């Protein structure tokens, strides 16, 4: 895979902001042995009802058949090795790596207990799917220019080295951990949380370097074509024919780089979204209780099999789907490629991964439920916040229509819809291949360690989110704002904006205890 296709396989799992309903997979057990009934990932019947239809229903994806999917070769999981902050590696580290033998570490025959499966899922979670000696982010200058992060031990929690052939050290990115690891103050690592690696900045710097290193006009044109192909696959919306989204394939390579560089950590232009409307990265901790996945509630999460299916889609299977005849990875965007040219996880790998994600626990909350927080809880109740953010999950697990979108009657009968719009920007929900016309009601649990609030991550802190100045056209967002935009009104969700300063302070104190 080419380095410029890093974005094409970046799978944040933003995947995984999903939920399990009441259907648990039954495991057959005997003393000392865990024999799970592993679901079939590409179950054709389950796939047919997995996704909420898109706002433009005729472009709702038709996913590949199970017959095609299971002809795709399984991805081996090799041992990974730490990536240190450049200049802080142990003496002779790269030479030592080049002397390592390849070692496959995921072996179902070795999994005896449920904890064995969870540990195996952790290997899958951290395994990079984009491997190359020359990926963006591998060079030391990219670390400096992008502000890439490392833990207190100077080891990256996001990316690793992989040995698939002795003597060849490959830089690996695009693991689940790449999007869902957070470097906390002091350098500790919180696995599964909303990530804070500057992924899009790294992609943009890689694009810019590719352009700058091109030796001729022809080389630059080839680089532009390669990157436009990635954008076409990842970020183009076939039914949007007017406005900025329809023009993204006409942008120059330096401008493409700048648009990526404008996206802050915690927000990601992931596949099927848009460079103009990138979603905030979700938190995976507590995902077992959430019924809809994605900011737009795209995926229904009815059982562990649905989580496995979503992981499979985000590892490239959704780019094989047909969106009204448009197949992102297809030949001429119309014909499916040879399955032998693709790669997938096995059902067992995905089951282990899902078990691991379900096992993730929140960190100890340093914010105490004191008198101020207790007053804030009363404000929360008085203002009716619990109507949408219902305890104990602090979400009602429902979908709300984006401004201007009218839910079809069939949706009202089939999905959990609260027919009230909160008035936020509708573009992500209506102008992208993830756009269902809805936004899901997010959980407020863990907001103390997260950031980039709003479905596009416009506000960096809760204080910013409750600042009424964000409604003004001269507001400068503290999180994401579109490229070349100096001021941007963050409209909608006006709840809490008119509170007194004391009530607002108390409410925020309460929210930070959740």
């Amino acid at each position: 895979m080419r380095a410029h296709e890093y974005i094409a396989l970046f799978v944040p799992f933003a995947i995984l902001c999903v939920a399990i309903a009441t259907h648990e997979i039954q495991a057959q057990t005997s003393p000392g042995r865990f024999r799970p009934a592993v679901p079939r990932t590409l179950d054709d019947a389950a796939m047919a009802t997995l996704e909420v239809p898109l706002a433009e229903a005729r472009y709702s994806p038709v996913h590949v058949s199970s017959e095609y999917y299971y002809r795709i070769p399984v991805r081996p999981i090799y041992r990974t090795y730490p990536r240190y902050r450049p200049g802080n590696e142990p003496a002779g580290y790269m030479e030592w790596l080049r002397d390592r033998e390849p070692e496959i570490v995921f072996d179902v025959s070795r999994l005896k207990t449920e904890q064995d499966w969870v540990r195996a899922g952790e290997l899958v979670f951290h395994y990079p799917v984009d491997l190359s000696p020359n990926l963006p982010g591998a060079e030391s200058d990219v670390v400096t220019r992008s502000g890439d992060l490392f833990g207190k031990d100077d080891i990256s929690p996001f990316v690793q080295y992989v040995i698939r052939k002795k003597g060849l050290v490959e830089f690996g990115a695009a693991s689940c951990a790449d999007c869902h690891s957070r470097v906390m103050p002091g350098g500790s690592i919180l696995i599964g949380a909303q990530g804070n690696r500057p992924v899009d900045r790294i992609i943009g710097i890689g694009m810019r370097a590719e352009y700058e290193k091109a030796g001729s006009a022809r080389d630059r044109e080839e680089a532009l074509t390669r990157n436009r192909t990635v954008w076409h696959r990842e970020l183009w919306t076939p039914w949007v024919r007017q406005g900025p989204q329809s023009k993204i394939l006409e942008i120059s390579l330096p401008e493409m780089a700048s648009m990526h560089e404008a996206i802050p950590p915690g927000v990601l232009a992931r596949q099927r979204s848009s460079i103009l409307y990138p979603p905030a990265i979700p938190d995976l901790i507590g995902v077992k209780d959430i019924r809809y996945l994605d900011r737009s509630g795209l995926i229904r999460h009815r059982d562990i099999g649905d989580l496995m299916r979503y992981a499979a889609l985000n590892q490239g299977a959704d780019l094989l789907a047909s969106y009204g005849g448009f197949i992102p990875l297809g030949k001429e965007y119309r014909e499916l490629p040879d399955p032998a040219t693709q790669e997938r996880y096995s059902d067992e790998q995905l089951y282990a991964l899902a078990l691991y994600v379900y096992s993730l626990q929140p960190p100890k909350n340093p914010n105490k439920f004191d008198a101020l927080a207790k007053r804030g809880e009363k404000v929360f109740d008085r203002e009716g916040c619990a109507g949408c953010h219902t305890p104990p999950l602090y979400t009602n697990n429902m979908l709300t229509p984006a401004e201007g979108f009218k839910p079809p009657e069939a949706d009202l009968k089939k999905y959990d819809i609260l027919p009230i719009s909160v008035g936020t920007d509708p573009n992500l929900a209506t102008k992208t291949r993830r756009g269902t016309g809805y936004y899901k009601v997010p959980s407020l649990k863990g907001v103390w360690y997260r950031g980039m609030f709003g479905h596009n991550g416009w506000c960096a802190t809760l204080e910013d989110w409750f600042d009424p100045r964000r409604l003004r056209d001269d507001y400068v967002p503290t999180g994401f704002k579109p490229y070349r935009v100096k001021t941007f009104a963050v409209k909608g969700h006006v709840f809490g904006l008119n509170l007194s300063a004391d009530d607002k302070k108390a409410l925020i104190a309460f929210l930070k205890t959740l």
Side-chain angles (χ1 to χ4, degrees):
M1 175 155 299
R2 299 184 183 92
H4 73 277
E5 290 181 308
Y6 176 62
I7 185 176
L9 283 179
F10 201 90
V11 190
F13 268 123
I15 85 196
L16 295 179
C17 180
V18 296
I20 188 168
T22 59
H23 305 293
E24 292 286 348
I25 298 300
Q26 298 299 315
Q28 299 175 352
T29 60
S30 60
R33 184 73 186 226
F34 177 73
R35 294 186 177 93
V38 176
R40 187 172 172 84
T41 303
L42 252 289
D43 177 279
D44 292 321
M47 291 295 297
T49 57
L50 180 69
E51 295 198 10
V52 175
L54 298 184
E56 289 289 338
R58 68 186 185 278
Y59 287 95
S60 296
V62 177
H63 292 291
V64 295
S65 67
S66 58
E67 187 278 331
Y68 177 95
Y69 178 80
Y70 285 106
R71 285 193 286 137
I72 298 174
V74 170
R75 174 184 296 113
I77 307 296
Y78 289 90
R79 182 173 298 283
T80 63
Y81 298 88
R83 187 269 181 110
Y84 290 85
R85 186 188 301 273
N88 288 46
E89 305 89 348
Y93 183 58
M94 297 308 293
E95 291 76 12
W96 180 82
L97 287 178
R98 280 188 281 270
D99 197 43
R100 299 300 93 199
E101 295 283 351
E103 181 182 356
I104 294 176
V105 293
F106 190 100
D107 183 349
V108 174
S109 68
R110 298 178 182 176
L111 307 182
K112 310 298 184 184
T113 67
E114 185 171 4
Q115 191 55 39
D116 288 343
W117 280 84
V118 172
R119 284 193 292 263
E122 184 177 11
L123 295 175
V124 179
F125 186 88
H126 288 275
Y127 190 73
V129 299
D130 202 356
L131 298 168
S132 168
N134 302 301
L135 281 175
E139 301 85 2
S140 60
D141 67 318
V142 174
V143 172
T144 301
R145 292 166 64 184
S146 69
D148 202 358
L149 299 174
F150 295 80
K152 58 186 176 183
D153 52 7
D154 282 324
I155 293 176
S156 172
F158 311 106
V159 295
Q160 301 84 26
Y161 291 116
V162 178
I163 310 297
R164 294 187 293 177
K165 178 181 178 181
K166 186 175 181 178
L168 178 63
V169 180
E170 293 182 288
F171 183 82
S175 67
C176 305
D178 207 340
C179 263
H180 299 289
S181 298
R182 191 172 187 88
V183 179
M184 302 291 282
S188 63
I189 307 300
L190 181 54
I191 299 298
Q194 176 194 47
N196 58 352
R197 188 180 188 226
V199 175
D200 272 291
R201 289 178 186 170
I202 291 168
I203 294 170
I205 289 168
M207 284 182 169
R208 192 175 302 282
E210 188 176 5
Y211 179 82
E212 293 169 352
K213 292 176 182 177
S216 65
R218 180 178 178 180
D219 290 341
R220 290 185 175 182
E221 185 63 29
E222 289 177 351
L224 174 60
T225 299
R226 285 193 298 271
N227 284 283
R228 279 185 176 171
T229 297
V230 173
W231 272 26
H232 201 164
R233 293 171 176 172
E234 296 290 314
L235 305 174
W236 188 64
T237 308
W239 66 84
V240 176
R241 303 299 185 186
Q242 296 179 337
Q245 175 64 15
S246 68
K247 306 295 184 183
I248 65 169
L249 301 182
E250 302 171 14
I251 296 170
S252 70
L253 189 54
E255 285 183 303
M256 292 170 73
S258 294
M259 293 178 82
H260 278 292
E261 291 167 341
I263 298 174
V267 181
L268 181 70
R270 62 180 305 194
Q271 84 273 19
R272 291 178 66 178
S273 68
S274 170
I275 194 69
L276 300 172
Y277 324 116
I281 297 171
D283 186 354
L284 304 186
I285 298 170
V287 70
K288 190 175 181 179
D289 297 316
I290 308 302
R291 288 204 295 264
Y292 290 93
L293 170 68
D294 270 15
R295 299 288 170 178
S296 57
L298 178 67
I299 299 293
R300 302 169 72 190
H301 187 203
R302 300 158 293 188
D303 54 36
I304 197 171
D306 283 345
L307 183 56
M308 294 165 58
R309 291 173 194 110
Y310 187 58
L313 293 179
N314 280 277
Q315 293 290 8
D318 62 356
L319 299 180
L320 296 167
S322 173
Y323 300 82
F326 170 69
I327 302 175
L329 284 179
K331 301 172 185 177
E332 303 297 324
Y333 304 109
R334 287 289 180 268
E335 180 184 346
L336 281 173
D338 182 347
T341 64
Q342 306 301 305
E343 199 172 43
R344 66 175 175 89
Y345 284 131
S346 70
D347 291 345
E348 292 77 12
Q349 289 168 346
L350 290 169
Y351 182 76
L353 172 64
L355 286 179
Y356 174 68
V357 171
Y358 285 167
S359 76
L360 295 171
Q361 297 295 316
K364 184 178 179 180
N365 193 330
N367 301 292
K368 304 302 181 182
F369 189 77
D370 55 16
L372 182 63
K374 187 173 183 178
R375 176 184 170 185
E377 184 178 31
K378 292 179 179 179
V379 174
F380 184 88
D381 292 337
R382 184 192 74 208
E383 295 297 314
C385 303
C388 289
H389 300 286
T390 312
L393 299 179
Y394 289 91
T395 174
N396 60 12
N397 265 323
M398 298 183 78
L399 307 177
T400 65
E403 188 175 19
F405 178 75
K406 183 178 180 181
E409 288 297 322
D411 284 12
L412 295 172
K413 297 175 182 178
K414 189 180 297 184
Y415 309 115
D416 304 295
I417 296 173
L418 181 68
I420 300 172
S421 174
V422 297
T424 51
D425 188 297
N427 286 308
L428 177 63
T430 57
K431 295 181 181 178
T432 73
R433 299 200 312 262
R434 291 188 180 275
T436 60
Y438 305 102
Y439 291 115
K440 73 172 185 180
V441 176
S443 172
L444 300 181
K445 294 179 72 173
V447 291
W448 68 269
Y449 61 75
R450 300 205 302 267
M452 304 305 172
F453 295 101
H455 51 259
N456 288 120
W458 303 288
C459 295
T461 68
L462 287 174
E463 287 77 8
D464 298 329
W465 185 248
F466 286 110
D467 183 351
R469 291 177 298 177
R470 68 171 171 82
L471 302 177
R472 293 167 26 177
D473 290 335
D474 62 350
Y475 183 70
V476 179
T478 54
F480 169 73
K481 61 179 182 291
Y483 170 60
R484 283 187 173 174
V485 172
K486 293 183 179 180
T487 62
F488 183 82
V490 181
K491 296 184 178 179
H493 198 285
V494 297
F495 311 107
L497 296 186
N498 294 325
L499 293 172
S500 69
D502 287 343
D503 278 356
K504 195 175 297 183
K505 182 179 179 181
L507 176 61
I508 291 172
F510 167 66
L511 295 177
K512 289 182 177 180
T513 67
L514 300 180

